Amino acid sequence: MTGDTRKAVLEENKLEKKLCRLVGQAIGDFGMIEDGDKVMVCVSGGKDSYAMLDILLKLRERAPIHFEIVAVNLDQKQPGFSEEILPNYLTALGVPFHIENQDTYSIVKRVITEGKTTCGLCSRLRRGILYRVADELGATKIALGHHRDDILETLMLNMFFAGKLKGMPPKLRSDDGKHIVIRPLAYVPEKLLERYAVDMDFPIIPCNLCGSQPNLQRGAMKEMLRDWEKKYPGRVENLFRSMHHIVPSHLMDSEAFDFQNLEISTELSGIAARSAGDKAIDEAEIDELACGTVIQGSYNPSL
């Protein structure tokens, strides 16, 4: 083995270990997977879902609990989608899998006017089908491949266009109350997944439906985040860290905090009691964060 080859192998192992730590940390922090779970891992053919499946299989080997994994792909009959790539890959991997064939592509193209965003309808159709498949397979958890950047992009989209402080939760209960959806990649930056996909040589299948919409606002959010990362190192990490430290008493949601009945005699508890009172900006913490000396909360990207 040459020096360059050895270095490449070491870097690949280092990246794999970091991904396993971040995914394992997210699973532990939010109680995503429990003993006896059957996890339906949704595999689209993109880099994120390939990496999620790969890391979950590796973590299962060393986990102190027992859980099953079944890979599921929804073939939406998009033009150019290769029907053989995923079955061949999953068969070679030796993981149980199910391919669900549903022509949602034709529905979306028929219903959505040309030039309009297809993501909303496509997502709703896909979600309903995956919930049904989870029931049929007896899955107790549904794992989606959204990563840290997806979560931040969603946060900014909701802030800028919907007027809400809302992102993608790492774990949620479906609206019908029958399913638990988890996002094991919640702590993983997209750039690590891009590197891992190259190292692992995943057989990527492009999404022609979404990829045909170059002007989506999510793309603009992605570019903004990447620009911030280049110009202001640490800003994106701090933005994501802020999602772990919500202080309702210092925002304006009267449903989240009882401003109407706030009086001198009010006994504050929890986050409100620890929120530094009338101090709007935590200058000392900002100074320390800028110097890289403070890591708040359980999320730690340097692990």
Side-chain angles (χ1 to χ4, degrees):
M1 184 183 294
T2 65
D4 289 342
T5 303
R6 184 162 46 249
K7 182 178 179 181
V9 170
L10 289 173
E11 287 298 318
E12 182 177 323
N13 290 339
K14 183 178 179 182
L15 176 57
E16 178 186 301
K17 289 179 180 178
K18 182 164 188 174
L19 288 173
C20 284
R21 282 196 294 268
L22 289 172
V23 172
Q25 186 183 356
I27 290 173
D29 284 351
F30 300 103
M32 293 187 187
I33 300 177
E34 301 167 288
D35 190 44
D37 270 340
K38 184 173 185 178
V39 183
M40 188 178 100
V41 181
C42 300
V43 183
S44 65
K47 68 181 189 314
D48 307 326
S49 59
Y50 275 127
M52 175 176 62
L53 175 62
D54 184 78
I55 296 301
L56 286 177
L57 288 171
K58 287 179 168 65
L59 289 177
R60 187 181 62 170
E61 295 176 0
R62 64 191 78 161
I65 60 173
H66 170 75
F67 63 93
E68 297 180 56
I69 287 177
V70 57
V72 169
N73 170 253
L74 172 57
D75 183 347
Q76 299 177 267
K77 302 305 175 185
Q78 297 177 24
F81 184 87
S82 174
E83 297 181 358
E84 302 300 324
I85 291 179
L86 272 170
N88 291 341
Y89 174 81
L90 295 170
T91 299
L93 200 60
V95 62
F97 69 91
H98 170 76
I99 305 296
E100 180 70 15
N101 293 286
Q102 296 287 337
D103 188 3
T104 62
Y105 179 84
S106 295
I107 297 174
V108 170
K109 283 299 184 183
R110 184 178 70 250
V111 173
I112 301 298
T113 305
E114 188 68 30
K116 298 291 185 179
T117 300
T118 63
C119 292
L121 177 58
C122 182
S123 177
R124 288 193 298 275
L125 291 171
R126 186 169 62 246
R127 186 163 56 241
I129 294 169
L130 291 175
Y131 287 169
R132 174 180 57 78
V133 172
D135 286 335
E136 294 172 357
L137 296 176
T140 55
K141 301 286 172 61
I142 302 172
L144 303 181
H146 298 117
H147 47 69
R148 184 203 67 175
D149 297 57
D150 288 325
I151 292 172
L152 283 174
E153 290 160 17
T154 302
L155 173 68
M156 293 193 295
L157 283 169
N158 277 315
M159 289 173 64
F160 296 166
F161 300 101
K164 295 180 181 178
L165 274 173
K166 177 182 177 182
M168 282 180 175
K171 180 180 180 181
L172 64 85
R173 187 183 70 170
S174 61
D175 290 340
D176 61 12
K178 297 179 180 179
H179 306 91
I180 295 293
V181 177
I182 60 175
R183 294 184 168 97
L185 301 181
Y187 286 170
V188 180
E190 185 176 20
K191 62 184 178 183
L192 297 186
L193 296 170
E194 292 171 346
R195 285 171 47 196
Y196 196 62
V198 173
D199 289 347
M200 298 298 293
D201 194 24
F202 292 136
I204 305 298
I205 305 174
C207 175
N208 295 320
L209 182 59
C210 297
S212 63
Q213 303 174 90
N215 297 319
L216 292 180
Q217 291 296 343
R218 183 171 291 275
M221 299 302 103
K222 185 183 295 291
E223 288 301 313
M224 182 185 299
L225 285 173
R226 296 197 172 189
D227 186 54
W228 281 353
E229 192 63 36
K230 291 178 183 178
K231 292 182 178 179
Y232 313 103
R235 174 179 288 188
V236 174
E237 295 293 349
N238 287 340
L239 179 62
F240 188 67
R241 190 178 292 112
S242 72
M243 297 182 73
H244 293 72
H245 301 276
I246 308 300
V247 185
S249 62
H250 284 51
L251 295 173
M252 297 186 181
D253 190 336
S254 295
E255 293 186 7
F257 186 80
D258 189 3
F259 292 100
Q260 287 283 354
N261 295 308
L262 182 63
E263 299 176 352
I264 293 175
S265 59
T266 301
E267 187 70 29
L268 298 178
S269 61
I271 294 175
R274 304 192 301 270
S275 63
D278 58 1
K279 199 162 64 170
I281 298 178
D282 302 324
E283 292 92 346
E285 290 184 6
I286 289 175
D287 289 342
E288 291 181 68
L289 283 166
C291 296
T293 57
V294 170
I295 293 293
Q296 297 183 343
S298 57
Y299 169 68
N300 188 344
S302 64
L303 284 174

